[in-house]
Amino acid sequence: MNEITEKMFDTATIDDPVFARQLYLEIQASLPISIRINEIGFQALKEQSVYISEPDAVYEMNTVFYAGDMAGILCSLSAKDGEVSSCDQGDQESKALVMSLTHLRIDSRHPLAAKIREYQKHRNMRLEIANSGRTLKPIKSKKNKKGFGA
């Protein structure tokens, strides 16, 4: 992991830095991963004039990045089943997509499915709090404490 990515994990207030870093590394080790885009992801693509030929198409996650509080874990996707096109450019050439992990669905049988859903749920909840105008405090990592006060 490069130094910039490490700093972004350290300064995160939306994500739990320890959990997000661990998930990021586990996803990297498991690539490629087959995924689908959820409804919120489709809406975001439509707003950018990017259209998917098949709504339930399967994509392959090839690369992951960490974008801090702005976008969290980002995934580079390539089309497996469907085509991706941009109406602004008028071409039907297949395009690569970069999307937040919160906009993706993973097969429930995948070994990381539960962790990814937990990350998505936690991130969406923290984003709602941040968007409501309330101040977010950085998350204190849950460490395995022993003894009194644990």
Side-chain angles (χ1 to χ4, degrees), residues 18 140-146 150:
V18 174
K140 294 181 183 177
S141 300
K142 297 176 184 173
K143 296 180 182 174
N144 292 334
K145 298 180 181 180
K146 295 182 180 178

Side-chain angles (χ1 to χ4, degrees), residues 7-132:
K7 284 182 182 179
M8 292 176 90
F9 277 117
D10 290 341
T11 59
T13 58
I14 302 284
D15 294 328
D16 176 341
V18 174
F19 183 79
R21 180 184 290 113
Q22 184 63 36
L23 179 60
Y24 171 85
L25 293 171
E26 288 178 16
I27 290 172
Q28 259 188 339
S30 298
L31 293 174
I33 299 172
S34 295
I35 55 88
R36 288 187 164 89
I37 300 171
N38 68 19
E39 290 301 318
I40 297 169
F42 278 116
Q43 293 304 318
L45 289 173
K46 282 183 183 178
E47 290 172 10
Q48 298 170 35
S49 298
V50 176
Y51 298 94
I52 308 296
S53 63
E54 294 181 37
D56 208 29
V58 176
Y59 295 86
E60 197 166 82
M61 183 190 309
N62 300 312
T63 313
V64 290
F65 314 93
Y66 188 70
D69 286 344
M70 183 62 80
I73 297 175
L74 289 174
C75 309
S76 173
L77 313 175
S78 60
K80 282 178 77 174
D81 293 345
E83 292 270 326
V84 179
S85 65
S86 171
C87 285
D88 289 343
Q89 297 173 354
D91 65 343
Q92 294 300 315
E93 186 178 313
S94 184
K95 309 230 181 297
L97 297 171
V98 175
M99 297 191 79
S100 174
L101 184 59
T102 57
H103 295 149
L104 304 175
R105 292 182 297 150
I106 189 166
D107 187 345
S108 60
R109 296 172 294 199
H110 191 280
L112 294 175
K115 282 187 178 181
I116 289 173
R117 279 193 299 278
E118 182 179 344
Y119 170 82
Q120 292 169 328
K121 181 180 175 182
H122 182 266
R123 182 166 176 82
N124 285 331
M125 178 189 67
R126 297 278 294 176
L127 284 170
E128 282 183 32
I129 292 169
N131 291 336
S132 71

